[in-house]
mmCIF file of all heavy atoms in Angstrom:
data_model
loop_
_atom_site.group_PDB
_atom_site.id
_atom_site.type_symbol
_atom_site.label_atom_id
_atom_site.label_comp_id
_atom_site.label_asym_id
_atom_site.label_seq_id
_atom_site.Cartn_x
_atom_site.Cartn_y
_atom_site.Cartn_z
ATOM 1 N N THR M 25 3.456 -10.220 -12.037
ATOM 2 C CA THR M 25 2.163 -10.201 -12.530
ATOM 3 C C THR M 25 1.275 -9.051 -11.943
ATOM 4 O O THR M 25 0.104 -8.979 -12.336
ATOM 5 C CB THR M 25 1.326 -11.469 -12.332
ATOM 6 O OG1 THR M 25 1.256 -11.825 -10.897
ATOM 7 C CG2 THR M 25 2.244 -12.679 -12.938
ATOM 8 N N ARG M 26 1.812 -8.438 -10.868
ATOM 9 C CA ARG M 26 1.031 -7.381 -10.186
ATOM 10 C C ARG M 26 -0.108 -8.038 -9.417
ATOM 11 O O ARG M 26 -1.123 -7.402 -9.154
ATOM 12 C CB ARG M 26 0.509 -6.332 -11.093
ATOM 13 C CG ARG M 26 1.558 -5.452 -11.753
ATOM 14 C CD ARG M 26 2.317 -4.614 -10.753
ATOM 15 N NE ARG M 26 3.102 -3.611 -11.406
ATOM 16 C CZ ARG M 26 4.283 -3.818 -12.055
ATOM 17 N NH1 ARG M 26 4.830 -5.091 -11.896
ATOM 18 N NH2 ARG M 26 5.053 -2.943 -12.577
ATOM 19 N N GLU M 27 -0.009 -9.406 -9.110
ATOM 20 C CA GLU M 27 -1.039 -10.032 -8.373
ATOM 21 C C GLU M 27 -0.473 -10.956 -7.324
ATOM 22 O O GLU M 27 0.652 -11.370 -7.459
ATOM 23 C CB GLU M 27 -1.924 -10.986 -9.434
ATOM 24 C CG GLU M 27 -2.674 -10.128 -10.385
ATOM 25 C CD GLU M 27 -3.309 -11.076 -11.410
ATOM 26 O OE1 GLU M 27 -3.509 -12.289 -11.043
ATOM 27 O OE2 GLU M 27 -3.673 -10.691 -12.531
ATOM 28 N N VAL M 28 -1.320 -11.151 -6.261
ATOM 29 C CA VAL M 28 -0.883 -12.140 -5.193
ATOM 30 C C VAL M 28 -1.967 -13.190 -5.137
ATOM 31 O O VAL M 28 -3.194 -12.701 -4.928
ATOM 32 C CB VAL M 28 -0.664 -11.394 -3.836
ATOM 33 C CG1 VAL M 28 -0.330 -12.389 -2.831
ATOM 34 C CG2 VAL M 28 0.238 -10.268 -3.922
ATOM 35 N N PRO M 29 -1.622 -14.317 -5.382
ATOM 36 C CA PRO M 29 -2.704 -15.500 -5.440
ATOM 37 C C PRO M 29 -3.553 -15.577 -4.281
ATOM 38 O O PRO M 29 -2.972 -15.567 -3.087
ATOM 39 C CB PRO M 29 -1.993 -16.675 -5.753
ATOM 40 C CG PRO M 29 -0.585 -16.251 -6.360
ATOM 41 C CD PRO M 29 -0.279 -14.972 -5.744
ATOM 42 N N ASP M 30 -4.842 -15.519 -4.411
ATOM 43 C CA ASP M 30 -5.725 -15.767 -3.179
ATOM 44 C C ASP M 30 -5.290 -17.120 -2.379
ATOM 45 O O ASP M 30 -5.424 -17.160 -1.182
ATOM 46 C CB ASP M 30 -7.222 -15.922 -3.711
ATOM 47 C CG ASP M 30 -7.744 -14.531 -3.983
ATOM 48 O OD1 ASP M 30 -7.060 -13.546 -3.606
ATOM 49 O OD2 ASP M 30 -8.871 -14.517 -4.620
ATOM 50 N N LEU M 31 -4.923 -18.123 -3.148
ATOM 51 C CA LEU M 31 -4.515 -19.438 -2.500
ATOM 52 C C LEU M 31 -3.524 -19.241 -1.544
ATOM 53 O O LEU M 31 -3.515 -19.782 -0.344
ATOM 54 C CB LEU M 31 -4.138 -20.411 -3.546
ATOM 55 C CG LEU M 31 -3.649 -21.797 -3.045
ATOM 56 C CD1 LEU M 31 -4.899 -22.519 -2.345
ATOM 57 C CD2 LEU M 31 -3.170 -22.647 -4.193
ATOM 58 N N LEU M 32 -2.488 -18.405 -1.830
ATOM 59 C CA LEU M 32 -1.250 -18.094 -1.037
ATOM 60 C C LEU M 32 -1.797 -17.287 0.252
ATOM 61 O O LEU M 32 -1.481 -17.712 1.282
ATOM 62 C CB LEU M 32 -0.238 -17.339 -1.704
ATOM 63 C CG LEU M 32 0.928 -16.819 -0.890
ATOM 64 C CD1 LEU M 32 1.625 -17.903 -0.294
ATOM 65 C CD2 LEU M 32 1.909 -15.899 -1.811
ATOM 66 N N ASN M 33 -2.603 -16.228 0.045
ATOM 67 C CA ASN M 33 -3.098 -15.530 1.168
ATOM 68 C C ASN M 33 -3.930 -16.232 2.198
ATOM 69 O O ASN M 33 -3.688 -16.181 3.331
ATOM 70 C CB ASN M 33 -3.950 -14.295 0.581
ATOM 71 C CG ASN M 33 -3.035 -13.335 -0.201
ATOM 72 O OD1 ASN M 33 -1.849 -13.158 0.125
ATOM 73 N ND2 ASN M 33 -3.638 -12.766 -1.224
ATOM 74 N N TYR M 34 -4.846 -17.096 1.629
ATOM 75 C CA TYR M 34 -5.760 -17.808 2.523
ATOM 76 C C TYR M 34 -5.120 -18.990 3.209
ATOM 77 O O TYR M 34 -5.366 -19.356 4.201
ATOM 78 C CB TYR M 34 -6.959 -18.356 1.647
ATOM 79 C CG TYR M 34 -7.836 -17.200 1.148
ATOM 80 C CD1 TYR M 34 -8.379 -17.341 -0.069
ATOM 81 C CD2 TYR M 34 -8.193 -16.114 2.060
ATOM 82 C CE1 TYR M 34 -9.366 -16.246 -0.576
ATOM 83 C CE2 TYR M 34 -9.047 -15.201 1.527
ATOM 84 C CZ TYR M 34 -9.538 -15.142 0.249
ATOM 85 O OH TYR M 34 -10.395 -14.184 -0.138
ATOM 86 N N SER M 35 -3.938 -19.391 2.540
ATOM 87 C CA SER M 35 -3.175 -20.407 3.089
ATOM 88 C C SER M 35 -2.409 -19.946 4.320
ATOM 89 O O SER M 35 -2.290 -20.699 5.333
ATOM 90 C CB SER M 35 -2.093 -20.972 2.124
ATOM 91 O OG SER M 35 -2.754 -21.651 1.017
#
Side-chain angles (χ1 to χ4, degrees):
T25 66
R26 296 295 192 280
E27 295 175 21
V28 181
D30 282 346
L31 178 61
L32 173 59
N33 294 327
Y34 294 139
S35 294

